Amino acid sequence: MPPGVATTTPVANSVAAAAGRSAGTPKPGAGAGDEDGEGEDEVLPAMADDDYSAQLSWQSESKDNLKVLMDKFSPAQYDRFEAYRRHALPKQAVRRVIHQTTGQQVSQPVAQIVAGFAKVFVGEIVENARAVQARRGEIGPLSPDHLREAYRLYQAETGRVGCARAGRGRKLFVR
């Protein structure tokens, strides 16, 4: 087929109609070498729509699952969950701790990721501390002793937390 002449297919017709031109007219800026990849460009918007709709359905399913879970919460669990959702670790403080630990500056997205992991870690420790408190038959707010015991149990369960030891004077990466 000569360069610059477009083929007419059902996909080309629908894409061209959406662009406001007929299927027989070439796309603006279409040159001699564009005929091979032209069909691929026309299919991409439909694929992007499918991905977007799949993402939206996944998000709505996640929201539905969260709603079902929250309906099963006791009032005390619901209050704790709401407090957990509302609070976040300050990003600048997280960046400062990372800098003190590694000696390197980190970007804001890295600090957000580390803050997210730290929040999950704190949530696990608090959950374990609540279990320790219940096992002892105590009521009221958590005490430092509950948190220490929960941390000890977490270490015993998962192994040593934070495998790098600071202050040893050894370099991590040596040639």
Side-chain angles (χ1 to χ4, degrees), residues 66 70 73 76-86:
L66 183 62
M70 289 176 66
F73 282 165
Q77 285 177 320
Y78 185 78
D79 291 341
R80 282 198 308 270
F81 180 73
E82 283 300 316
Y84 175 80
R85 273 178 83 176
R86 278 193 308 267

Side-chain angles (χ1 to χ4, degrees), residues 55 63 134:
Q55 183 179 8
K63 286 181 183 179

Side-chain angles (χ1 to χ4, degrees), residues 120-130 146-147 150-151 154:
V120 169
F121 175 73
V122 168
E124 288 181 13
I125 295 296
V126 168
E127 194 68 28
N128 288 346
R130 288 269 172 215
H146 297 135
L147 295 170
Y151 181 70
Y154 184 84

Side-chain angles (χ1 to χ4, degrees), residues 1-174:
M1 185 170 293
V5 176
T7 60
T8 306
T9 63
V11 172
N13 287 336
S14 62
V15 170
R21 55 187 165 81
S22 69
T25 58
K27 289 196 278 187
D34 290 342
E35 63 201 22
D36 293 337
E38 189 172 318
E40 293 174 17
D41 290 341
E42 294 169 350
V43 176
L44 287 179
M47 290 174 55
D49 290 343
D50 289 345
D51 291 342
Y52 181 70
S53 64
Q55 183 179 8
L56 284 179
S57 67
W58 181 81
Q59 286 176 346
S60 70
E61 184 178 323
S62 295
K63 286 181 183 179
D64 293 343
N65 290 342
L66 183 62
K67 186 175 180 344
V68 168
L69 179 67
M70 289 176 66
D71 289 342
K72 304 283 185 198
F73 282 165
S74 69
Q77 285 177 320
Y78 185 78
D79 291 341
R80 282 198 308 270
F81 180 73
E82 283 300 316
Y84 175 80
R85 273 178 83 176
R86 278 193 308 267
H87 292 85
L89 296 172
K91 304 301 184 276
Q92 286 297 66
V94 170
R95 289 179 78 179
R96 188 171 37 250
V97 168
I98 294 170
H99 177 67
Q100 290 171 350
T101 305
T102 64
Q104 296 179 351
Q105 293 290 336
V106 295
S107 64
Q108 192 69 19
V110 171
Q112 286 178 323
I113 290 168
V114 171
F117 280 115
K119 187 174 177 179
V120 169
F121 175 73
V122 168
E124 288 181 13
I125 295 296
V126 168
E127 194 68 28
N128 288 346
R130 288 269 172 215
V132 166
Q133 184 184 33
R135 196 170 45 243
R136 292 180 180 175
E138 300 171 358
I139 56 172
L142 293 174
S143 70
D145 188 42
H146 297 135
L147 295 170
R148 277 191 291 272
E149 179 65 15
Y151 181 70
R152 188 191 66 74
L153 291 172
Y154 184 84
Q155 281 182 317
E157 185 178 305
T158 61
R160 229 172 65 206
V161 178
C163 60
R165 292 184 180 178
R168 283 280 175 128
R170 292 186 304 176
K171 293 183 179 180
L172 293 175
F173 305 106
V174 179

